[in-house]
Amino acid sequence: MSLLLAGCSRAPGPDAILRQYLDAWQRQDYAAMYALLDAASREAISQDDFADRYRRIEEGIERTGLSAEVHVPGDFRPEGDQVTLSFTARWETALTGAFVQEYQAQLVREEEGWRVRWTPALIFPDLKEGDKVRAQSLPARRGSLLDRKGRPLALDEPARAIGLVPGKMAPDSAERLAKVLGIATGAVEKQLGQPWVRDDLFVPIVTWPESRAEAAEEDLLAIPGVLISSSRETARWYPHGALAAHTLGYTGPITAEELTDERRQAGYGRNDRIGKQGLERALEEDLRGRRGGRIWIEREDGSDGPEIARREAQAGRDLQLTLDLDVQRAVERALNETLGSAGAGAGGRGRGQLDGQAAAVVLDPATGEVLALASRPGFDPNRLADGITAEEWQALSDDPRSPLYHKALAALTPGSTFKPFTAAVALDEGVIAPDTDFGPSPEQWQKDASWGDYYVRRVPHPPGRVDLIRALVWSDNVYFARAGLALGAERFQRGLTRFGLGEEVPFVLGVVPGRVAGEGGIQGEIQLADSAYGQGQVQVSPLQLAAMYTAFLHDGDVLRPRLLLDEPASGQPAGTASGQPAGTAAGQPEGTGSSPPAGAAAGPSSAAPPGSREGELPGGPIWKQGAARPETAQVIRQALRQVVADPTGTAHSLASLRGWVVSGKTGTAQVTGGEQGARWRWFAGWASPAGSGEPRLLMVFAIHQQGAADEGSPNPAVVAARRLLEAWRPEAD
C-alpha cells in the first residue's frame, strides 16, 4: 500500500510539464506558461513582459492557430536535474499560411518539480536575446472587372499616400488639402492630432489610386506641406466613376465584425479590404486574390537574420462581364438627361415632377446577357472605396431616394407593362382569343354593385371596338380587369408562376423575387381585377421583367439573365444568385440601413430557384421553358409592335426613330396616395435595327414621379428609351 501511494503522488516528469506548457501556448494562456518557467527564467523576464512579447509577435504575424507535439524517445528516463526534449510546432497564420518549426526545450528539476528553462529560442529557434521578429504583408492585386470587350470597369492600381509634413505647413494647409480631397477639414486635423505626430514626420491623410493622385497632383503639390508618397499597397479604382456603380459595388476596409474566425483562417487580416456591395461583394472569393507575407528575424544590430516563413502573393482573378461600356454609357446618359441632371432630378418634388429615382435594364434579347444595368440616384464608388466621413455616410443612408439601393433589382409595381403576361395566361387558358371583345369599355367600370364605390379606371382612348390588340395598344385597364376575372385567381396565379414570378431569380446579384400577391394569395375580385393590369400587390424587378419579356421573342421560353461571361472559380456558376447574406436587401450594402425606394419590396436572395428547368436554345440558356405557347408569344409580339406603330398607341412617339423598329409596352403604376400620389412610369420592349428584323436590345426603364403629370405630357420612361436609341447604334456585323 505504501508503494502504491508513493506512485500516485509522484510529480509529473519533464515530458509532462513540457506538454502542459505547450498546451497553454496553444490556448494562448501566457500566465499558465509563465507559471511553468524555472526560477532563473522568471528572474530574467517579468510575467507582463513575457506575455506582452508573445502577444505582440503573434499579433504581428497574424497567428490563427498553433499545434505542437513533443518527441520523447521510447527509452526516455530523466537522469540528473536537467534534460533536453525536442518538439515540433505547426504555426497557422493569416500572413504566410502554415509553417513548421523544430525546437529544443531544456527542462530543469527544482524543488517544486520539473520546470521549463525559457529563452527567446522557444518562440522561434533562431531567435536570440536582443533580436526582433519582423513581419511584412505582401499585397495581392485584386482581380479586375472588365466589360464584354475587355475594357476595365474596376481595377487595382499602385497606391499613393497623400498627407502633410506638419513642419512645412502653412496656416491654411489643412483646409486647402481637405477641399482638394473632398473631405472635411476636421478629418485632416484629426490625423494631424495623433500623439506620434512630429514636425518632421509625414502624416498620411488618404490613400488614392495612382491615376486619381496624378490627376490632382498639381493642385495637391501647390499646398505647403503636402507630400505624395508611394506605397507597397494597391488601391481600388473605378475609372468611370459612378457608371454602373450599383452593379460593380465598391470595396472598403474590413471591419471587426467582418473579420470572422473563418475569414482569418482564409487569410484575411485586419488591414485587408473586402467587397462591400454589388459584384465586388458577390464575387469576393474570385476577385480578392491571396496576399502574401514574410516573417523574419532582425538581429540586434539591425541586420536581417534568417527568414522564418514566406508566402508569395497571388493575384485575384480578372472577370469579364456581359456589360457593354458603350451601352451602359448611353443608358445612363439617357437617364440623366431625362431626369434633368446627373441623376438628381431638376423638377423638384412637386406634383408630376421627377424626383431622381429611376432604374434601367438592357439585355441582349438573343442570349439574355445584360448589356447595361443602372439605378438612380447614383454614387461614386471611388469616394466610398477611399473612405468617407461618418457625416457623408449618414447623408447617403438618410436620403429618402435610397442612392445606395440597386433599384433595377428591387421589386416595383409594374403597372401596365404587366398586361402582356395577363394576356398570355388568358390566351393559353382559352379564356380569350385575339379578337375577344368584352363589350363597352367605359372610363370607369365595376363588375357589379357589390364593389361599392370602387371602380377600375382607364385612361381615355379613341372610341371603337376593344379586342386584345387594341386593349394593349390603348392600355385599357378595364379590358384586362375583365380578363383577370374571367381567368379566376387560381388560374391567373398558376399561369404567372410559369414566367418565374414567386421564385428566386437565377442571377449573380441578389434580386428581390417578383410576386403576384402577398401571403395568402389574391383576396377577392377587386384585388384580382387590379392585379390583372399590374396593380394590386403585383411586384417585379426591372431585371426580372426584362427576362420575362424574352418569352415573347423565344416562342414562350424565358431566358436566364446573365451578367458574367466568365465562370467564377469559386464554384458559383454564372447566372446563379450568390453573395447576398440572409436579411440583406438586393443591391444594398450590408448594414447600411438604406431603405428600398417607394413601392419596392426588399428581401434576401441567396439560392437558385427550386424547380427551375434549364435547356439550351440557339440564342442562350433557358430559365423557364414553355412559359407561354409559341402561338401566344407571336400574338403578344405582334400586339406590342402595334403599341408603337399605331398612331393611337401609348408608345407611338418611338415610331419616328430613325434606324430602329421598336416594340413595347408602357406603364404607370400608382404606389402611394391614390390618383395624385407617387408612381412609377415604365417602358418595356425591344428594338431592331431597321431592315434587320432581329432585335438587338431588350430594354426596361422605370422612372419615379411625384404625382400625376399634366395630360398629354410624355411618359419619361419612353423619353429615356428614345434617348438611348438615338445615342447608340449597334456595330456592323
Side-chain angles (χ1 to χ4, degrees):
M1 180 64 72
S2 299
L3 289 173
L4 179 61
L5 290 173
C8 291
S9 61
R10 184 181 301 156
D15 53 330
I17 292 298
L18 181 57
R19 288 191 179 95
Q20 290 179 30
Y21 178 87
L22 296 177
D23 181 64
W25 191 13
Q26 291 171 93
R27 301 192 316 271
Q28 294 181 297
D29 186 347
Y30 307 121
M33 293 168 67
Y34 190 80
L36 293 172
L37 301 187
D38 71 331
S41 299
R42 294 196 303 272
E43 181 70 25
I45 187 170
S46 70
Q47 181 173 333
D48 286 345
D49 289 344
F50 177 85
D52 185 60
R53 186 167 193 188
Y54 271 91
R55 189 176 294 111
R56 284 189 292 106
I57 289 173
E58 292 181 3
E59 286 178 357
I61 68 174
E62 300 179 44
R63 169 187 154 171
T64 58
L66 180 77
S67 58
E69 181 182 0
V70 178
H71 307 299
V72 181
D75 59 351
F76 175 68
R77 295 288 186 275
E79 296 179 0
D81 294 332
Q82 184 171 311
V83 298
T84 299
L85 291 172
S86 63
F87 69 91
T88 301
R90 176 184 170 86
W91 291 80
E92 300 281 350
T93 73
L95 186 64
T96 63
F99 60 90
V100 173
Q101 297 278 284
E102 300 290 344
Y103 296 80
Q104 297 290 315
Q106 192 176 57
L107 290 97
V108 296
R109 194 197 309 262
E110 296 188 335
E111 185 176 342
E112 64 270 28
W114 289 96
R115 291 293 180 263
V116 175
R117 170 72 47 88
W118 186 87
T119 71
L122 284 183
I123 302 176
F124 290 118
D126 290 317
L127 192 64
K128 300 175 182 177
E129 198 64 53
D131 291 350
K132 296 177 181 178
V133 176
R134 296 298 190 189
Q136 178 186 15
S137 178
L138 303 176
R141 182 185 68 83
R142 189 175 178 87
S144 298
L145 291 170
L146 311 170
D147 90 329
R148 65 189 301 111
K149 297 175 182 176
R151 293 171 290 190
L153 302 173
L155 69 159
D156 268 19
E157 286 194 347
R160 297 290 182 264
I162 301 169
L164 289 160
V165 178
K168 298 181 178 180
M169 289 172 54
D172 63 348
S173 289
E175 183 179 355
R176 290 172 61 186
L177 178 59
K179 185 175 181 180
V180 174
L181 298 180
I183 63 177
T185 303
V188 178
E189 292 172 342
K190 182 179 179 181
Q191 294 296 99
L192 292 170
Q194 297 176 93
W196 59 266
V197 173
R198 291 180 175 78
D199 280 354
D200 59 343
L201 293 181
F202 171 66
V203 181
I205 306 298
V206 299
T207 300
W208 275 7
E210 183 178 56
S211 295
R212 189 174 185 188
E214 287 178 352
E217 186 174 42
E218 185 175 347
D219 291 336
L220 288 167
L221 296 182
I223 303 169
V226 165
L227 182 67
I228 302 174
S229 174
S230 298
S231 170
R232 294 193 311 268
E233 302 295 324
T234 60
R236 200 62 166 170
W237 174 239
Y238 302 91
H240 308 290
L243 198 77
H246 296 84
T247 302
L248 300 175
Y250 62 94
T251 65
I254 194 167
T255 65
E257 294 76 17
E258 290 168 329
L259 190 55
T260 60
D261 289 341
E262 183 179 3
R263 281 203 169 113
R264 286 183 185 276
Q265 293 292 340
Y268 284 90
R270 61 182 178 273
N271 296 319
D272 281 349
R273 303 178 70 81
I274 193 169
K276 299 286 188 175
Q277 186 182 2
L279 290 171
E280 292 280 26
R281 179 176 167 192
L283 301 174
E284 171 68 20
E285 286 305 303
D286 291 280
L287 292 171
R288 77 177 180 96
R290 302 296 185 273
R291 69 188 174 110
R294 59 184 292 254
I295 304 167
W296 75 98
I297 291 172
E298 182 184 280
R299 294 304 186 196
E300 189 173 12
D301 62 3
S303 64
D304 282 352
E307 188 171 80
I308 297 168
R310 171 188 284 266
R311 180 178 65 188
E312 299 300 331
Q314 179 183 348
R317 186 176 176 214
D318 295 341
L319 291 174
Q320 195 164 6
L321 310 181
T322 63
L323 294 180
D324 186 310
L325 185 58
D326 299 319
V327 180
Q328 185 75 34
R329 281 196 184 109
V331 167
E332 299 211 24
R333 188 181 305 117
L335 282 179
N336 292 344
E337 291 172 354
T338 302
L339 294 172
S341 65
R349 299 196 182 186
R351 179 180 179 274
Q353 299 299 324
L354 308 182
D355 65 0
Q357 296 187 71
V361 179
V362 177
L363 303 183
D364 181 336
T367 63
E369 293 173 355
V370 177
L371 302 178
L373 274 178
S375 182
R376 287 293 183 272
F379 62 89
D380 184 351
N382 290 308
R383 290 288 298 116
L384 292 170
D386 294 341
I388 61 175
T389 65
E391 293 77 16
E392 290 174 306
W393 180 257
Q394 197 62 47
L396 279 173
S397 299
D398 290 346
D399 190 328
R401 302 172 303 159
S402 306
L404 295 172
Y405 195 85
H406 202 331
K407 298 174 182 68
L409 309 182
L412 311 176
T413 307
S416 296
T417 57
F418 193 72
K419 289 173 180 173
F421 303 104
T422 299
V425 173
L427 286 168
D428 280 351
E429 293 289 340
V431 169
I432 63 172
D435 61 354
T436 295
D437 177 5
F438 288 106
S441 180
E443 290 190 19
Q444 61 178 27
W445 174 87
Q446 61 179 192
K447 179 186 175 185
D448 53 39
S450 67
W451 284 20
D453 60 357
Y454 185 81
Y455 290 85
V456 174
R457 291 174 170 79
R458 66 162 176 78
V459 296
H461 62 59
R465 182 175 179 273
V466 182
D467 58 12
L468 175 60
I469 306 303
R470 285 187 172 179
L472 285 167
V473 169
W474 294 338
S475 201
D476 191 309
N477 290 346
V478 173
Y479 186 96
F480 288 97
R482 288 173 165 176
L485 292 172
L487 271 168
E490 183 178 346
R491 285 194 293 180
F492 177 69
Q493 293 178 96
R494 185 177 63 240
L496 290 167
T497 60
R498 295 199 296 266
F499 288 91
L501 283 179
E503 292 187 7
E504 301 285 348
V505 180
F507 197 61
V508 70
L509 295 176
V511 182
V512 181
R515 71 183 192 191
V516 183
E519 290 186 16
I522 291 176
Q523 305 294 313
E525 290 182 334
I526 291 176
Q527 185 181 343
L528 175 58
D530 286 346
S531 301
Y533 57 87
Q535 288 282 166
Q537 295 180 356
V538 176
Q539 291 196 318
V540 63
S541 68
L543 177 75
Q544 186 170 4
L545 187 70
M548 290 167 64
Y549 264 71
T550 64
F552 305 132
L553 296 171
H554 286 272
D555 290 335
D557 292 326
V558 178
L559 298 190
R560 182 175 63 191
R562 293 181 56 214
L563 188 55
L564 295 177
L565 285 176
D566 294 330
E567 294 290 337
S570 61
Q572 193 66 53
T576 301
S578 73
Q580 284 298 126
T584 303
Q588 179 178 337
E590 187 174 8
T592 64
S594 180
S595 58
S605 179
S606 58
S612 61
R613 295 180 295 162
E614 296 181 7
E616 290 294 329
L617 284 177
I622 302 168
W623 174 29
K624 290 294 178 182
Q625 198 164 30
R629 295 174 181 171
E631 55 270 26
T632 293
Q634 182 179 9
V635 169
I636 303 300
R637 186 165 62 246
Q638 293 171 347
L640 297 187
R641 174 69 192 114
Q642 290 306 306
V643 171
V644 176
D646 192 304
T648 63
T650 57
H652 182 62
S653 62
L654 296 174
S656 60
L657 270 167
R658 295 184 59 185
W660 291 103
V661 176
V662 184
S663 304
K665 184 72 191 76
T666 58
T668 298
Q670 298 168 16
V671 293
T672 60
E675 291 291 329
Q676 300 306 318
R679 59 204 59 220
W680 285 98
R681 307 295 302 277
W682 292 81
F683 177 76
W686 55 84
S688 306
S692 76
E694 291 295 325
R696 293 295 297 271
L697 297 179
L698 193 157
M699 62 199 125
V700 171
F701 284 90
I703 296 181
H704 196 253
Q705 179 178 296
Q706 295 288 345
D710 295 333
E711 187 174 344
S713 62
N715 181 333
V718 175
V719 172
R722 183 181 182 91
R723 284 180 164 137
L724 164 63
L725 296 174
E726 287 173 338
W728 186 81
R729 290 288 186 273
E731 296 176 358
D733 293 331

